[in-house]
């Protein structure tokens, strides 16, 4: 399979690292010659200097011979144009990295009319993970997929400690009415065999008759049910992750405060978020955090652009008794 990746930033490099060990012919395209040289010395990939918006670059690559293109530069507009042009020139599948809320609000229209197969939004994915931890961490399933009489359920193995260490045969003897059809482990999906063992941290995909699966998940939910307390959340950093998270939490009904040190960004957040308190200030100012009732928060999320700040602020929140503390590390 031939794959073209436009943009050698964090996302482009991570994807390259993930794919380089597989049976793929990878071409990495960027305008930064020095960065491409370093990557070319480290990984077995083809590097190409060029602008993602240039049709000539796509033609020079002979993009119609590629099975897959991912455009993940820092510009949404560039990614949309690159993916759309590649599709017109014959690339089989194209994906664009899109992060801005204005684009996400009309993503269906953009994909349809620009002929883009899919979009990825890392900030939205991060938000979903944080939201799931804060709001849905006591639920047994985060997905139930039903087709009339057959249902597939997804749940975390740690919810049932007695199955940790069991192989597929032992699990089937314990639950003969269901089958483990997949295991998500360390970000990879595994198709289990008879001797594979369930490990702590695994997410299991179970398949069975709908009525039995509903009964199974119902029992687990009652067993682990706990009152959800993440009703007051403070977010430091009003970037895209902070924006998406505040919106999602606010829609859920949580009381949300965002602290952002860029005044212009504060105006944007105020105009685009409802039922969210936006404070203009330095999130590293402990006096400010204390005056805004840090100790009274159920959750504290740090998503500034600096890893060190995020970690130190998280430690501060923990020291003041906040139960759920999350830091974004990039």
């Amino acid at each position: 399979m031939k794959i073209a990746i436009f943009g050698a930033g964090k996302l482009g490099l991570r994807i390259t690292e993930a794919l380089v060990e597989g049976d793929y012919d990878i071409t990495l395209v960027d305008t930064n010659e020095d960065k491409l040289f370093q990557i070319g010395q480290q990984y077995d990939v083809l590097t190409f200097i060029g602008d993602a918006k240039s049709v000539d670059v796509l033609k020079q690559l002979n993009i119609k011979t590629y099975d897959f293109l991912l455009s993940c530069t820092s510009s949404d507009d560039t990614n949309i144009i690159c993916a759309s042009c590649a599709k017109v020139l014959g690339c089989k599948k194209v994906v664009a990295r899109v992060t801005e809320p204005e684009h996400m609000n009309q993503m269906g229209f953009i994909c349809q009319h620009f002929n883009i197969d899919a979009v990825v939004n890392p900030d939205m994915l991060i938000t979903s993970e944080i939201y799931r931890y804060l709001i849905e961490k006591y639920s047994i399933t985060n997905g139930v997929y039903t087709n009339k009489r057959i249902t597939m359920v997804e749940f975390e193995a740690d919810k049932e400690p007695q199955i940790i260490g069991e192989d597929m045969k032992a699990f089937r003897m314990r639950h003969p009415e269901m089958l483990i059809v997949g295991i998500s482990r360390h970000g990879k999906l595994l198709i289990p065999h008879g001797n594979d063992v369930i490990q702590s941290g695994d997410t299991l995909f179970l398949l069975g008759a709908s009525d039995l699966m509903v009964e199974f998940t119902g029992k687990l939910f009652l067993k682990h049910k706990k009152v959800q307390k993440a009703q007051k959340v403070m977010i430091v950093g009003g970037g895209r992750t902070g924006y998406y998270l505040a919106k999602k939490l606010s829609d859920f009904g949580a009381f949300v405060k965002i602290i952002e040190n860029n005044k212009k960004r504060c105006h944007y957040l105020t105009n685009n978020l409802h039922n969210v308190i936006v404070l203009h200030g330095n999130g590293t100012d402990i006096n400010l955090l204390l005056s805004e009732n840090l100790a009274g928060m159920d959750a504290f999320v740090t998503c500034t652009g600096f890893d060190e700040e995020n970690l130190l602020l998280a430690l501060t929140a923990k020291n003041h008794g906040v139960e759920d503390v999350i830091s974004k590390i990039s």
Side-chain angles (χ1 to χ4, degrees):
M1 179 183 289
K2 294 184 67 175
I3 300 175
I5 301 174
F6 280 75
K10 293 178 183 177
L11 180 59
L13 187 56
R14 292 284 181 172
I15 294 172
T16 300
E17 291 173 345
L19 296 176
V20 73
E21 296 298 330
D23 187 22
Y24 304 109
D25 293 328
I26 301 172
T27 301
L28 188 60
V29 183
D30 199 276
T31 56
N32 189 322
E33 185 175 356
D34 293 336
K35 181 182 291 186
L36 289 179
F37 177 78
Q38 293 175 2
I39 294 172
Q41 295 294 310
Q42 188 174 359
Y43 301 106
D44 183 21
V45 298
L46 175 66
T47 58
F48 190 92
I49 302 171
D51 190 336
K53 298 190 298 291
S54 173
V55 174
D56 290 336
V57 170
L58 294 171
K59 289 181 178 179
Q60 290 176 41
L61 288 174
N62 198 15
I63 200 67
K64 65 182 179 181
T65 64
Y66 282 76
D67 301 290
F68 192 91
L69 174 138
L70 171 64
S71 186
C72 53
T73 73
S74 59
S75 168
D76 284 2
D77 294 338
T78 296
N79 294 333
I80 292 171
I81 292 172
C82 177
S84 181
C85 291
K87 189 73 171 183
V88 171
L89 292 174
C91 185
K92 294 181 179 64
K93 295 288 183 181
V94 297
V95 176
R97 173 184 182 266
V98 179
T99 59
E100 293 298 337
E102 290 78 10
H103 285 136
M104 294 305 299
N105 291 336
Q106 53 192 8
M107 211 60 251
F109 180 87
I110 291 175
C111 287
Q112 179 181 353
H113 291 277
F114 285 86
N115 203 15
I116 296 173
D117 293 298
V119 299
V120 292
N121 186 336
D123 296 291
M124 190 75 81
L125 295 174
I126 294 169
T127 296
S128 296
E129 286 298 312
I130 298 174
Y131 178 85
R132 181 186 173 200
Y133 177 80
L134 292 178
I135 305 301
E136 300 175 351
K137 64 178 175 179
Y138 301 121
S139 67
I140 300 304
T141 66
N142 68 347
V144 178
Y145 314 96
T146 305
N147 183 10
K148 296 184 179 179
R149 292 179 295 177
I150 301 296
T151 296
M152 185 167 71
V153 173
E154 174 187 349
F155 88 103
E156 297 171 359
D158 289 333
K159 300 295 184 182
E160 286 290 277
Q162 66 270 23
I163 69 173
I164 304 298
E166 288 188 347
D167 59 21
M168 297 299 103
K169 297 174 183 177
F171 180 87
R172 191 66 188 274
M173 291 180 66
R174 181 189 292 275
H175 297 289
E177 72 281 3
M178 62 185 69
L179 179 68
I180 299 179
V181 295
I183 299 176
S184 177
R185 180 178 297 162
H186 305 308
K188 294 184 178 181
L189 182 64
L190 309 176
I191 306 301
H193 300 283
N195 295 323
D196 287 334
V197 175
I198 299 172
Q199 299 179 10
S200 177
D202 285 353
T203 298
L204 307 180
F205 296 88
L206 306 178
L207 191 68
S210 295
D211 54 347
L212 294 174
M213 298 304 287
V214 170
E215 181 182 355
F216 172 73
T217 55
K219 288 179 180 178
L220 284 177
F221 179 75
L222 291 174
K223 185 176 178 181
H224 295 279
K225 188 175 180 182
K226 184 175 178 180
V227 177
Q228 178 54 253
K229 296 194 297 183
Q231 294 293 333
K232 294 183 291 182
V233 183
M234 180 180 290
I235 301 171
V236 178
R240 288 188 291 263
T241 300
Y243 169 85
Y244 286 127
L245 181 60
K247 186 176 187 306
K248 203 170 180 68
L249 290 171
S250 177
D251 290 343
F252 169 75
F255 172 78
V256 183
K257 286 183 180 181
I258 293 184
I259 299 177
E260 168 60 41
N261 62 3
N262 185 300
K263 191 172 183 178
K264 184 178 180 180
R265 184 64 180 176
C266 286
H267 286 303
Y268 175 87
L269 295 172
T270 302
N271 293 331
N272 289 276
L273 291 173
H274 304 289
N275 302 318
V276 174
I277 296 178
V278 180
L279 303 172
H280 177 229
N282 186 351
T284 60
D285 185 347
I286 304 302
N287 292 326
L288 173 62
L289 297 180
L290 294 177
S291 68
E292 293 299 330
N293 193 26
L294 171 64
M297 293 292 153
D298 300 316
F300 183 82
V301 182
T302 61
C303 48
T304 73
F306 302 97
D307 291 354
E308 295 82 359
E309 280 188 11
N310 291 336
L311 290 171
L312 289 173
L313 287 171
L315 182 61
T316 300
K318 267 299 180 187
N319 289 336
H320 283 82
V322 181
E323 181 179 352
D324 291 320
V325 178
I326 299 175
S327 283
K328 175 187 173 185
I329 304 298
S330 57

